[in-house]
Amino acid sequence: MDNNFEIKATGKSKGEWIFHGEFHETVDYLSNHKRILEFNPFCYEVEKTDIDNIYKWHFRVTDPQNNPFDVIFFIEEKQELMVILPDEYEDMDPDNIPENIIHESIVGKKIIWEHYPTDTAIDDPKNYIFEGKAFAEMYVHPHKKAQTKVDFDLKINVRFMLYPAFRIIPEKVIKNMTNAGMSFIMQTATNKMFQSISKDFGKIQPA
């Protein structure tokens, strides 16, 4: 391996939680992108960009020598309403469906975060700054009376420079170790994020 060896790592986290709140109340809360991400222990800053629904995430961790390691993400937020219409409305133009029918047919809402390609130069390995790509879905749907279920699924891809001390280890082994480590860290951070949300929103419990 040469001195400029880079490795791509993928981390995943997921979970299911019950929010003790009404469906629309829960959706409104989780739609505040900046607020909920700042509960993540590795989130340094979240900024809304000049482009509608595009956010810049700045995550920071420290390396084994306690140096800051920054990962920058550009993320687009989307929302999809999930409905199951009565048979007689299935083939109708959505614009012609009565609003009350749509409201009564709502079975959930999906909040989507996905990587937004940008021409901005981000990678600066000498200063431990790297670009990340994130993809996540929160499927929010009514559960029981005054309860809402949230299914969360997140994947992050990061490309970074490998430390010289690890370059004697085969690349495949390093990649497997890195992916497992990233997933463990992300799952722990996700759990802590939702625990913090519960202190702000109200009662939340694992599903």
Side-chain angles (χ1 to χ4, degrees):
M1 299 182 186
D2 61 34
N3 290 332
N4 296 316
F5 179 69
E6 293 182 340
I7 189 166
K8 295 179 180 179
T10 298
K12 300 178 180 180
S13 67
K14 59 177 55 182
E16 298 179 343
W17 284 269
I18 302 297
F19 280 58
H20 287 248
E22 299 291 347
F23 168 72
H24 292 292
E25 178 187 14
T26 305
V27 168
D28 288 345
Y29 181 89
L30 293 175
S31 296
N32 189 327
H33 191 126
K34 179 177 172 66
R35 175 174 58 191
I36 65 173
L37 267 180
E38 287 179 345
F39 286 125
N40 187 303
F42 298 111
C43 180
Y44 181 75
E45 186 178 32
V46 176
E47 301 175 70
K48 197 174 188 314
T49 70
D50 294 334
I51 306 173
D52 286 346
N53 301 320
I54 306 300
Y55 294 80
K56 179 183 177 182
W57 298 0
H58 182 174
F59 276 52
R60 173 170 289 174
V61 295
T62 54
D63 68 15
Q65 298 173 338
N66 211 34
N67 297 310
F69 181 105
D70 294 321
V71 184
I72 306 299
F73 303 84
F74 282 92
I75 301 296
E76 181 176 9
E77 178 177 294
K78 303 176 181 177
Q79 296 193 11
E80 295 179 1
L81 196 61
M82 317 295 287
V83 299
I84 298 179
L85 293 168
D87 292 344
E88 60 267 32
Y89 293 98
E90 282 191 355
D91 297 324
M92 185 179 292
D93 185 327
D95 292 336
N96 296 328
I97 300 174
E99 190 172 323
N100 67 303
I101 297 298
I102 294 178
H103 181 75
E104 293 169 3
S105 302
I106 293 173
V107 296
K109 195 165 193 177
K110 190 179 288 186
I111 299 172
I112 302 166
W113 301 336
E114 64 182 23
H115 171 68
Y116 181 79
T118 175
D119 294 331
T120 304
I122 296 173
D123 284 330
D124 186 3
K126 292 182 180 179
N127 291 308
Y128 296 92
I129 300 173
F130 302 94
E131 179 182 14
K133 297 179 180 180
F135 307 86
E137 290 186 349
M138 281 188 287
Y139 176 38
V140 186
H141 53 101
H143 183 59
K144 296 178 180 179
K145 184 177 181 181
Q147 290 186 9
T148 303
K149 187 178 179 184
V150 178
D151 299 325
F152 181 77
D153 195 344
L154 170 68
K155 180 176 77 172
I156 285 178
N157 297 323
V158 181
R159 183 183 65 187
F160 59 93
M161 302 297 293
L162 194 65
Y163 283 100
F166 289 106
R167 292 176 188 163
I168 61 173
I169 302 175
E171 180 180 344
K172 185 176 180 180
V173 174
I174 282 291
K175 186 172 182 179
N176 289 339
M177 289 171 56
T178 304
N179 289 344
M182 266 190 68
S183 293
F184 176 79
I185 290 170
M186 283 177 54
Q187 188 66 58
T188 301
T190 296
N191 293 342
K192 288 183 178 179
M193 183 177 78
F194 275 88
Q195 289 168 8
S196 297
I197 287 173
S198 70
K199 298 174 184 176
D200 187 43
F201 177 86
K203 186 178 180 182
I204 298 176
Q205 65 189 62

